[in-house]
Amino acid sequence: MYNKTRAVTLIEVIIGIVLSALIIIGVLNIFSSGLKGSTKGLAHQANMETASILMAQIEYDLLRATSIKSPDKNTSDDSASWKLYYAASGKGYPVTVTYSKGSDGIIRNVVDEKENKTISNNVFAKGHNTKINFLHLKYKVGNDKKIQKQGMWVELTVSSKEKKTGDIETFTLNRLIMIRNQY
């Protein structure tokens, strides 16, 4: 009786290596696409948070505004300014708040009207590519059309470029904000 021992041939080893390599490549492709989607989602979330913070500050300022200085009625611009009363240490004084597009983001400047002195100067959305547009809306309401209302249509776009892939992720936020305290 012959005792046959079966050994693994070189061809079987090569076939096993090729099949293992194909399985590993497939798993890595799935992992890579999942990672790419996660990175894109994180970029979108960062842009959304940046736009939301800036829009909340604009809305807070506009809700306290007494009048809009620029842009003119029914015109749009990438900068806007309005008057409001700034409360510090319990007393309020008139200031002008200006938002404008800068090279590093959106600039918010607050100037004391009496002393013509800058109170604060902030830059929002640093490191992001931003676009902002203000449309000043003014209209008359009521039966006699004597009551005038003002508001601002604000369109804000924040985008960022993903460093590894070069993909650009963009988020746009639009809001109509009406002035409550106009005189």
Side-chain angles (χ1 to χ4, degrees):
M1 209 186 269
Y2 294 102
N3 191 4
K4 264 189 167 178
T5 314
R6 178 150 162 92
V8 178
T9 64
L10 183 59
I11 293 176
E12 292 172 333
V13 170
I14 291 173
I15 290 173
I17 291 172
V18 168
L19 288 175
S20 298
L22 289 174
I23 291 171
I24 290 173
I25 288 171
V27 169
L28 288 176
N29 280 340
I30 292 171
F31 179 73
S32 172
S33 65
L35 189 60
K36 190 176 188 180
S38 174
T39 303
K40 186 174 182 176
L42 288 173
H44 185 76
Q45 182 180 2
N47 292 341
M48 186 173 65
E49 287 174 359
T50 300
S52 296
I53 289 168
L54 177 54
M55 189 64 82
Q57 182 64 54
I58 292 170
E59 184 174 18
Y60 178 73
D61 288 340
L62 270 169
L63 288 175
R64 297 182 312 144
T66 57
S67 66
I68 296 175
K69 294 172 80 174
S70 71
D72 292 332
K73 173 182 153 184
N74 296 328
T75 59
S76 64
D77 198 356
D78 65 352
S79 67
S81 63
W82 49 86
K83 291 182 179 183
L84 58 90
Y85 281 96
Y86 192 76
S89 305
K91 71 175 196 180
Y93 51 94
V95 297
T96 299
V97 176
T98 304
Y99 284 89
S100 59
K101 172 92 171 89
S103 61
D104 196 28
I106 305 298
I107 300 168
R108 176 184 180 259
N109 194 24
V110 181
V111 176
D112 184 337
E113 287 190 352
K114 286 183 181 177
E115 298 180 19
N116 200 18
K117 178 180 158 188
T118 299
I119 297 170
S120 69
N121 192 354
N122 308 89
V123 178
F124 289 88
K126 284 185 180 178
H128 293 275
N129 186 13
T130 56
K131 291 180 186 173
I132 193 161
N133 191 39
F134 296 94
L135 173 61
H136 179 183
L137 301 171
K138 198 172 193 179
Y139 55 93
K140 294 181 179 182
V141 295
N143 292 337
D144 54 5
K145 302 283 185 192
K146 290 184 180 178
I147 302 170
Q148 246 186 16
K149 293 286 185 181
Q150 291 188 78
M152 191 76 76
W153 177 260
V154 183
E155 183 175 326
L156 174 64
T157 302
V158 178
S159 59
S160 59
K161 191 173 187 179
E162 209 279 301
K163 293 176 185 169
K164 291 181 182 177
T165 62
D167 293 341
I168 295 176
E169 186 61 35
T170 302
F171 181 77
T172 301
L173 189 58
N174 297 305
R175 186 153 302 153
L176 174 62
I177 306 163
M178 300 306 295
I179 295 177
R180 294 182 187 171
N181 304 322
Q182 73 183 28
Y183 300 113

